[in-house]
Amino acid sequence: MTQIHVLNGPNLNLLGKREPEIYGAATLEDVEALCRSACAEGIDIRLRQSNHEGQLIDWIHDARETAAGIVINPGAYTHTSIAILDALNAYAGPVVEVHISNVHKRESFRHVSYVSLRADGVIAGLGVEGYAAAVRYLVQRIR
Ligand code: CA2
């Protein structure tokens, strides 16, 4: 079955458990349910989270063979990781970068994104709804 991979970086396992004033009350399990309901018949969601840069890179490599599109919230690696950018550059399908918070209203170090150099689109500040919007976009790109 066609898959969309939803990749999440460091600390996003804490979603819904800490700092709800910034990241909201939804958990990563809620995000998965949201992505599934935004998806379409014949397309499956594979949501994964890691606190490790190399693991995220391995999953992006895996997506080269298995995913028709990627939604990625690289967490703080957004602002630091040329290695994740390089991995995404080796992926041929559509990529949407998602941030739960509006990174542009926050500290200046969050205004820089290496991943945006590759992403087809960037969604920031819509809370976890941003993931659903990204999935909807990819569904219409893939079909
Ligand atoms: O807004 C976003 O989605 C971020 O990618 C989240 C990252 C942050 O470093 C980026 O600048 C923007 C941090 C993820 C931390 O997630 C937590 C969730 C709940 C509680 C604590 C951390």
Side-chain angles (χ1 to χ4, degrees), residues 10-19 23 73-79 98-103 106 109-110 131:
N11 298 308
L12 286 160
N13 53 313
L14 299 177
L15 211 55
K17 296 166 183 158
R18 297 272 188 285
E19 299 188 79
Y23 299 113
N73 182 347
Y77 288 141
T78 306
H79 319 297
V98 170
H99 299 287
I100 297 165
S101 63
N102 182 353
V103 284
R106 301 181 67 190
F109 60 81
R110 294 186 206 275
Y131 288 88

Short mmCIF file of all heavy atoms in Angstrom, two decimals, residues 10-19 23 73-79 98-103 106 109-110 131, ligand 1:
data_model
loop_
_atom_site.label_atom_id
_atom_site.label_comp_id
_atom_site.label_asym_id
_atom_site.label_seq_id
_atom_site.Cartn_x
_atom_site.Cartn_y
_atom_site.Cartn_z
N PRO A 10 13.58 15.13 17.97
CA PRO A 10 13.82 15.06 19.40
C PRO A 10 12.79 15.79 20.25
O PRO A 10 12.34 16.88 19.90
CB PRO A 10 15.21 15.69 19.58
CG PRO A 10 15.51 16.35 18.30
CD PRO A 10 14.73 15.67 17.23
N ASN A 11 12.46 15.14 21.35
CA ASN A 11 11.58 15.64 22.41
C ASN A 11 10.09 15.63 22.05
O ASN A 11 9.26 15.90 22.91
CB ASN A 11 12.01 17.06 22.87
CG ASN A 11 13.40 17.05 23.45
OD1 ASN A 11 13.69 16.25 24.34
ND2 ASN A 11 14.27 17.89 22.94
N LEU A 12 9.77 15.31 20.81
CA LEU A 12 8.36 15.31 20.44
C LEU A 12 7.60 14.13 21.04
O LEU A 12 6.37 14.12 21.02
CB LEU A 12 8.20 15.38 18.92
CG LEU A 12 8.51 16.80 18.39
CD1 LEU A 12 8.84 16.79 16.91
CD2 LEU A 12 7.36 17.76 18.68
N ASN A 13 8.32 13.17 21.64
CA ASN A 13 7.65 12.12 22.44
C ASN A 13 6.99 12.72 23.68
O ASN A 13 6.13 12.09 24.29
CB ASN A 13 8.64 11.02 22.83
CG ASN A 13 9.89 11.54 23.52
OD1 ASN A 13 10.49 12.50 23.05
ND2 ASN A 13 10.26 10.94 24.62
N LEU A 14 7.40 13.95 24.04
CA LEU A 14 6.82 14.61 25.23
C LEU A 14 5.55 15.40 24.92
O LEU A 14 4.96 16.01 25.81
CB LEU A 14 7.85 15.54 25.87
CG LEU A 14 9.14 14.89 26.37
CD1 LEU A 14 10.10 15.94 26.91
CD2 LEU A 14 8.82 13.84 27.44
N LEU A 15 5.15 15.40 23.67
CA LEU A 15 3.97 16.15 23.23
C LEU A 15 2.75 15.78 24.10
O LEU A 15 2.47 14.60 24.31
CB LEU A 15 3.70 15.80 21.77
CG LEU A 15 3.07 16.88 20.89
CD1 LEU A 15 3.89 18.15 20.92
CD2 LEU A 15 2.95 16.35 19.46
N GLY A 16 2.08 16.80 24.60
CA GLY A 16 0.90 16.59 25.44
C GLY A 16 1.24 16.31 26.90
O GLY A 16 0.34 16.22 27.73
N LYS A 17 2.54 16.18 27.20
CA LYS A 17 2.94 15.83 28.57
C LYS A 17 3.68 16.96 29.27
O LYS A 17 3.76 16.99 30.49
CB LYS A 17 3.82 14.57 28.54
CG LYS A 17 3.03 13.37 28.03
CD LYS A 17 3.89 12.19 27.66
CE LYS A 17 3.00 11.09 27.08
NZ LYS A 17 3.71 10.15 26.26
N ARG A 18 4.27 17.88 28.50
CA ARG A 18 5.01 19.02 29.04
C ARG A 18 4.73 20.24 28.16
O ARG A 18 4.39 20.09 26.99
CB ARG A 18 6.53 18.78 29.01
CG ARG A 18 7.04 17.64 29.85
CD ARG A 18 7.35 18.09 31.27
NE ARG A 18 8.02 17.04 32.03
CZ ARG A 18 7.42 15.95 32.51
NH1 ARG A 18 6.14 15.75 32.30
NH2 ARG A 18 8.10 15.05 33.20
N GLU A 19 4.92 21.44 28.71
CA GLU A 19 4.83 22.71 27.97
C GLU A 19 3.58 22.82 27.08
O GLU A 19 3.69 23.18 25.89
CB GLU A 19 6.09 22.90 27.11
CG GLU A 19 7.37 22.99 27.93
CD GLU A 19 8.57 23.38 27.08
OE1 GLU A 19 8.70 24.59 26.80
OE2 GLU A 19 9.34 22.48 26.72
N TYR A 23 3.07 23.86 23.05
CA TYR A 23 2.85 22.78 22.09
C TYR A 23 1.45 22.16 22.16
O TYR A 23 1.14 21.26 21.37
CB TYR A 23 3.93 21.70 22.26
CG TYR A 23 5.32 22.24 22.02
CD1 TYR A 23 6.26 22.34 23.05
CD2 TYR A 23 5.69 22.67 20.75
CE1 TYR A 23 7.53 22.85 22.83
CE2 TYR A 23 6.95 23.19 20.51
CZ TYR A 23 7.87 23.28 21.56
OH TYR A 23 9.11 23.80 21.32
N ASN A 73 8.63 16.85 11.10
CA ASN A 73 8.90 17.86 12.11
C ASN A 73 10.23 17.46 12.74
O ASN A 73 10.26 16.58 13.61
CB ASN A 73 7.79 17.90 13.17
CG ASN A 73 8.05 19.00 14.20
OD1 ASN A 73 9.16 19.56 14.26
ND2 ASN A 73 7.04 19.31 14.99
N PRO A 74 11.31 18.08 12.28
CA PRO A 74 12.63 17.64 12.75
C PRO A 74 12.97 18.16 14.15
O PRO A 74 14.10 17.94 14.62
CB PRO A 74 13.59 18.23 11.72
CG PRO A 74 12.74 18.82 10.63
CD PRO A 74 11.41 19.11 11.25
N GLY A 75 12.01 18.85 14.83
CA GLY A 75 12.30 19.41 16.14
C GLY A 75 13.48 20.36 16.04
O GLY A 75 13.65 21.05 15.03
N ALA A 76 14.33 20.38 17.05
CA ALA A 76 15.46 21.33 17.07
C ALA A 76 16.49 21.03 15.98
O ALA A 76 17.27 21.92 15.62
CB ALA A 76 16.12 21.31 18.46
N TYR A 77 16.49 19.81 15.42
CA TYR A 77 17.42 19.51 14.31
C TYR A 77 17.10 20.35 13.07
O TYR A 77 17.95 20.52 12.19
CB TYR A 77 17.37 18.03 13.93
CG TYR A 77 18.02 17.11 14.94
CD1 TYR A 77 17.46 15.87 15.24
CD2 TYR A 77 19.19 17.47 15.60
CE1 TYR A 77 18.04 15.02 16.16
CE2 TYR A 77 19.78 16.63 16.53
CZ TYR A 77 19.21 15.40 16.81
OH TYR A 77 19.78 14.55 17.71
N THR A 78 15.87 20.88 13.00
CA THR A 78 15.50 21.82 11.94
C THR A 78 16.58 22.88 11.76
O THR A 78 16.95 23.24 10.64
CB THR A 78 14.20 22.56 12.34
OG1 THR A 78 13.20 21.61 12.64
CG2 THR A 78 13.75 23.52 11.26
N HIS A 79 17.05 23.39 12.92
CA HIS A 79 17.87 24.59 12.94
C HIS A 79 19.37 24.29 12.90
O HIS A 79 20.18 25.21 12.89
CB HIS A 79 17.55 25.41 14.20
CG HIS A 79 16.09 25.45 14.53
ND1 HIS A 79 15.17 26.02 13.68
CD2 HIS A 79 15.37 24.94 15.58
CE1 HIS A 79 13.95 25.88 14.21
NE2 HIS A 79 14.05 25.22 15.36
N VAL A 98 6.78 20.55 9.06
CA VAL A 98 5.74 21.02 9.98
C VAL A 98 6.36 21.44 11.31
O VAL A 98 7.22 20.74 11.85
CB VAL A 98 4.68 19.91 10.22
CG1 VAL A 98 3.73 20.30 11.36
CG2 VAL A 98 3.88 19.64 8.95
N HIS A 99 5.90 22.57 11.82
CA HIS A 99 6.22 22.98 13.19
C HIS A 99 4.92 23.31 13.91
O HIS A 99 4.08 24.05 13.37
CB HIS A 99 7.15 24.19 13.20
CG HIS A 99 8.45 23.88 12.54
ND1 HIS A 99 9.39 23.08 13.12
CD2 HIS A 99 8.91 24.19 11.31
CE1 HIS A 99 10.39 22.92 12.29
NE2 HIS A 99 10.13 23.58 11.18
N ILE A 100 4.79 22.77 15.09
CA ILE A 100 3.58 22.98 15.88
C ILE A 100 3.47 24.45 16.30
O ILE A 100 2.41 25.07 16.19
CB ILE A 100 3.61 22.06 17.12
CG1 ILE A 100 3.61 20.60 16.66
CG2 ILE A 100 2.44 22.36 18.05
CD1 ILE A 100 4.00 19.61 17.76
N SER A 101 4.58 24.99 16.76
CA SER A 101 4.60 26.40 17.17
C SER A 101 4.98 27.27 15.98
O SER A 101 5.53 26.78 14.98
CB SER A 101 5.62 26.59 18.30
OG SER A 101 6.93 26.29 17.84
N ASN A 102 4.68 28.56 16.09
CA ASN A 102 5.13 29.51 15.06
C ASN A 102 6.57 29.90 15.38
O ASN A 102 6.82 30.80 16.18
CB ASN A 102 4.22 30.74 15.02
CG ASN A 102 4.67 31.69 13.92
OD1 ASN A 102 5.71 31.49 13.28
ND2 ASN A 102 3.90 32.74 13.70
N VAL A 103 7.50 29.19 14.75
CA VAL A 103 8.93 29.39 15.05
C VAL A 103 9.37 30.83 14.79
O VAL A 103 10.32 31.31 15.41
CB VAL A 103 9.80 28.39 14.25
CG1 VAL A 103 9.72 27.00 14.85
CG2 VAL A 103 9.40 28.34 12.78
N ARG A 106 9.28 33.16 17.78
CA ARG A 106 10.10 32.70 18.89
C ARG A 106 11.55 33.20 18.74
O ARG A 106 11.80 34.14 17.99
CB ARG A 106 10.00 31.17 18.99
CG ARG A 106 8.54 30.71 19.21
CD ARG A 106 8.42 29.22 19.34
NE ARG A 106 9.05 28.73 20.56
CZ ARG A 106 9.26 27.44 20.83
NH1 ARG A 106 8.90 26.52 19.97
NH2 ARG A 106 9.84 27.08 21.96
N PHE A 109 17.17 31.98 16.81
CA PHE A 109 17.81 30.75 16.32
C PHE A 109 16.78 29.78 15.72
O PHE A 109 17.15 28.89 14.95
CB PHE A 109 18.65 30.05 17.41
CG PHE A 109 17.90 29.62 18.65
CD1 PHE A 109 17.18 28.43 18.65
CD2 PHE A 109 17.93 30.37 19.80
CE1 PHE A 109 16.50 28.00 19.79
CE2 PHE A 109 17.24 29.97 20.94
CZ PHE A 109 16.52 28.79 20.94
N ARG A 110 15.49 29.97 16.05
CA ARG A 110 14.45 29.11 15.46
C ARG A 110 13.96 29.64 14.10
O ARG A 110 13.12 29.02 13.45
CB ARG A 110 13.25 28.97 16.41
CG ARG A 110 13.58 28.25 17.69
CD ARG A 110 12.34 28.00 18.53
NE ARG A 110 12.67 27.89 19.93
CZ ARG A 110 13.07 26.76 20.54
NH1 ARG A 110 13.19 25.65 19.86
NH2 ARG A 110 13.36 26.75 21.83
N TYR A 131 -0.07 19.05 10.93
CA TYR A 131 0.21 17.71 10.40
C TYR A 131 -0.91 17.26 9.46
O TYR A 131 -0.66 16.67 8.40
CB TYR A 131 0.34 16.68 11.53
CG TYR A 131 1.58 16.77 12.39
CD1 TYR A 131 1.62 17.59 13.51
CD2 TYR A 131 2.69 15.98 12.10
CE1 TYR A 131 2.75 17.64 14.32
CE2 TYR A 131 3.81 16.02 12.90
CZ TYR A 131 3.85 16.86 14.01
OH TYR A 131 4.96 16.91 14.80
O1 CA2 B 1 7.25 23.93 16.89
C1 CA2 B 1 7.77 22.85 16.61
O2 CA2 B 1 7.12 21.88 16.21
C2 CA2 B 1 9.26 22.65 16.85
O3 CA2 B 1 9.77 21.85 15.76
C3 CA2 B 1 9.39 21.91 18.15
C4 CA2 B 1 10.84 21.74 18.61
C5 CA2 B 1 11.58 23.06 18.58
O4 CA2 B 1 12.94 22.86 18.90
C6 CA2 B 1 11.48 23.73 17.22
O5 CA2 B 1 12.15 24.95 17.26
C7 CA2 B 1 10.03 23.95 16.85
C8 CA2 B 1 10.88 21.20 20.05
C9 CA2 B 1 10.11 19.96 20.24
C10 CA2 B 1 9.93 19.76 21.71
O6 CA2 B 1 8.70 19.12 21.92
C11 CA2 B 1 8.19 19.15 23.17
C12 CA2 B 1 6.88 18.86 23.27
C13 CA2 B 1 6.27 18.90 24.50
C14 CA2 B 1 7.02 19.19 25.63
C15 CA2 B 1 8.36 19.47 25.51
C16 CA2 B 1 8.97 19.46 24.27
#
